[in-house]
Amino acid sequence: MVRKTIFSRADVVKAGLAVMDKGGVENLSARRVAEEMGASTAPVYSNFANMDDLVMAVKMAAVELLLESTLENPTDNPFLNMGVGVLEFARKHPLLYGALFLQANDECVAGPGFMKELLERMAVLPDLEQLKPVERIILLRKMSLFTHGLATHICTGLQPGIEWKDVLNLLDEAGDAILADAVARSPRTEEDLASLGSLCEFPLQPTKDAK
Amino acid sequence: MVRKTIFSRADVVKAGLAVMDKGGVENLSARRVAEEMGASTAPVYSNFANMDDLVMAVKMAAVELLLESTLENPTDNPFLNMGVGVLEFARKHPLLYGALFLQANDECVAGPGFMKELLERMAVLPDLEQLKPVERIILLRKMSLFTHGLATHICTGLQPGIEWKDVLNLLDEAGDAILADAVARSPRTEEDLASLGSLCEFPLQPTKDAK
DNA sequence: AGATATGTATTACGGGTGTTATATAACATT
DNA sequence: AATGTTATATAACACCCGTAATACATATCT
């Protein structure tokens, strides 16, 4: 008889992602992951030091999914597409979204790297090149806040009756409003920028506080 | 007369609110509430059928706190003040905010009633009376989404370095942008409103699905 | 083939949870 | 004073969790 399958680190992460997708972080336990894999809890602990490590790895896998989602191009507006990608992700994987953005998250797994990626994509868009780099950061911040507010409502089910096309229209209109406002305020004066101080920078590396 | 109850329903809710404020929903257990009250778990179960009932009651108490916070007037712009109130609440009670808005929340305790209240306050503001009622709903939706996006970031700590005054400036600028956009789009045509369909209504009573 | 190493399964420990059954103590009524 | 009522305390049950110790089976090496 062939030796039973060895469960790799990737297998555990894959199973963990499935569990998290179906039941959220709070259901991601060693026993459930094991059951999902069709194994015992032993492979979980041979591949990861403890559950916290696994949870982190699964979150990072979820971020990969999110970034993929933001790379699709459902509309002809690249700036809008980023937001739509986030919303699509929140709709298809509400519990993954919740694990990434709706938990007090010291490790900051989804924050800086994700924003940096989006910022680089913005820099080459024709509508936005007239803005100062700092103004693009502020614009991204505003759009990101609106988008995440919308995504949060989607995945917590706070607005049950809402239709998907209306969600997209809402994002579109808000994007227009915020973009028009950004253009109208450009170029900002120095004192204007000073009044927005800490908003003009991102902590561009993850805040891995070595503990 | 009946024997006076030492631990009233209100006492249990108060203790539950304290526990939730300090440790979030996930730490709100019968034993912790009892400890907070300086009692055993018995009063919890004599005042509430089960823990779900208590959690719901505590959430409703948290909504009361939130509404109080939105009634304060830190600026001279009543519309802005609503948003500032939400942000202040999220800053002072991040775990309460999380319990209300960052959990998949079937009971929808904080949604409709809260929005309805804000909508009524909007109707009497001078800047907004020129808008159609439906347009005010859409405006509130957008502002609410932006505000909650901001509040979520505050209470999950996703943007650690951000300063409070900058948060308020961000809200102020976004409010201007969204309000200006709403005025510019007014009066909306019928087909315009049709394209926003389900956004124009709130489910004005809580969705208590009797199970 | 036999020994060894290794990945996996099983089991168990300690602690958390919701909930309930029982015991106790303080009050109200008779 | 005795009784009944009722709020509270205690303890127990069954179930979950993270994690470690142990047992086992299989692949690899000698």
Side-chain angles (χ1 to χ4, degrees), chain A residues 7-210:
Chain A
F7 299 97
S8 70
R9 200 170 210 273
D11 291 332
V12 180
V13 171
K14 184 181 171 187
L17 193 64
V19 170
M20 193 185 259
D21 198 18
K22 283 183 281 191
V25 243
E26 65 274 9
N27 278 62
L28 185 67
S29 69
R31 287 171 176 86
R32 279 186 192 273
V33 172
E35 187 188 20
E36 177 76 28
M37 277 197 303
S40 75
T41 61
V44 175
Y45 282 95
S46 62
N47 283 290
F48 294 90
N50 49 44
M51 281 307 291
D52 281 350
D53 277 18
L54 174 57
V55 169
M56 177 68 83
V58 171
K59 283 183 182 176
M60 283 166 54
V63 171
E64 286 305 306
L65 276 184
L66 171 58
L67 278 172
E68 282 176 26
S69 183
T70 60
L71 282 174
E72 298 189 3
N73 294 305
T75 80
D76 55 359
N77 179 343
F79 189 56
L80 178 62
N81 286 342
M82 298 181 194
V84 175
V86 174
L87 295 188
E88 286 280 5
F89 179 80
R91 184 174 64 145
K92 291 179 193 162
H93 306 287
L95 296 177
L96 294 185
Y97 183 90
L100 292 180
F101 296 105
L102 268 42
Q103 309 276 326
N105 204 322
D106 290 337
E107 313 88 359
C108 213
V109 58
F114 181 63
M115 295 298 262
K116 187 184 173 190
E117 171 90 23
L118 297 185
L119 207 54
E120 286 169 4
R121 293 191 210 158
M122 279 176 68
V124 300
L125 297 182
D127 284 350
L128 308 180
E129 63 185 358
Q130 59 181 306
L131 301 179
K132 296 183 187 178
V134 169
E135 290 171 339
R136 277 200 289 268
I137 290 183
I138 297 172
L139 172 59
L140 175 58
R141 271 215 138 97
K142 285 179 185 167
M143 271 310 288
S144 167
L145 287 168
F146 188 86
T147 307
H148 281 91
L150 201 38
T152 302
H153 274 57
I154 289 171
C155 79
T156 59
L158 255 171
Q159 304 288 348
I162 218 160
E163 289 173 26
W164 185 243
K165 71 168 179 57
D166 299 334
V167 170
L168 296 183
N169 272 332
L170 201 57
L171 181 67
D172 193 24
E173 284 197 2
D176 285 349
I178 293 172
L179 177 56
D181 180 74
V183 171
R185 289 181 197 268
S186 179
R188 286 177 184 263
T189 63
E190 284 306 313
E191 54 187 342
D192 202 14
L193 290 173
S195 83
L196 286 168
S198 61
L199 299 176
C200 303
E201 295 162 12
F202 284 112
L204 287 183
Q205 19 254 15
T207 61
K208 328 181 123 176
D209 30 309

Side-chain angles (χ1 to χ4, degrees), chain B residues 6-166:
Chain B
I6 298 182
F7 298 102
S8 69
R9 206 180 150 91
D11 292 331
V12 179
V13 170
K14 184 180 171 187
L17 193 64
V19 171
M20 190 184 263
D21 198 18
K22 282 182 282 189
V25 242
E26 66 274 8
N27 277 60
L28 185 67
S29 70
R31 287 171 176 85
R32 279 186 191 272
V33 172
E35 188 188 20
E36 176 76 29
M37 275 196 305
S40 75
T41 63
V44 175
Y45 282 95
S46 63
N47 282 292
F48 295 90
N50 49 43
M51 282 306 290
D52 281 351
D53 277 17
L54 174 57
V55 169
M56 177 69 84
V58 171
K59 283 183 181 175
M60 284 166 53
V63 171
E64 285 304 307
L65 275 184
L66 171 59
L67 278 172
E68 281 176 26
S69 183
T70 62
L71 282 174
E72 298 190 3
N73 294 305
T75 80
D76 54 359
N77 178 344
F79 190 55
L80 179 62
N81 286 341
M82 296 181 194
V84 175
V86 173
L87 295 187
E88 286 280 5
F89 179 79
R91 184 173 66 144
K92 291 180 193 163
H93 307 285
L95 297 177
L96 295 185
Y97 184 89
L100 293 180
F101 297 105
L102 268 40
Q103 309 277 326
N105 204 321
D106 290 337
E107 313 88 359
C108 214
V109 57
F114 181 62
M115 295 298 261
K116 186 181 173 192
E117 170 90 23
L118 296 185
L119 209 53
E120 287 169 2
R121 292 191 211 159
M122 278 175 68
V124 300
L125 297 182
D127 286 348
L128 307 179
E129 63 185 359
Q130 58 181 308
L131 301 179
K132 295 182 185 178
V134 169
E135 290 171 338
R136 277 199 288 267
I137 291 183
I138 296 172
L139 172 60
L140 175 58
R141 272 213 137 96
K142 286 177 185 168
M143 270 312 287
S144 165
L145 287 168
F146 188 87
T147 306
H148 280 92
L150 201 39
T152 302
H153 275 57
I154 290 171
C155 80
T156 60
L158 255 173
Q159 306 287 352
I162 219 160
E163 289 174 26
W164 184 244
K165 72 170 177 55
D166 299 334

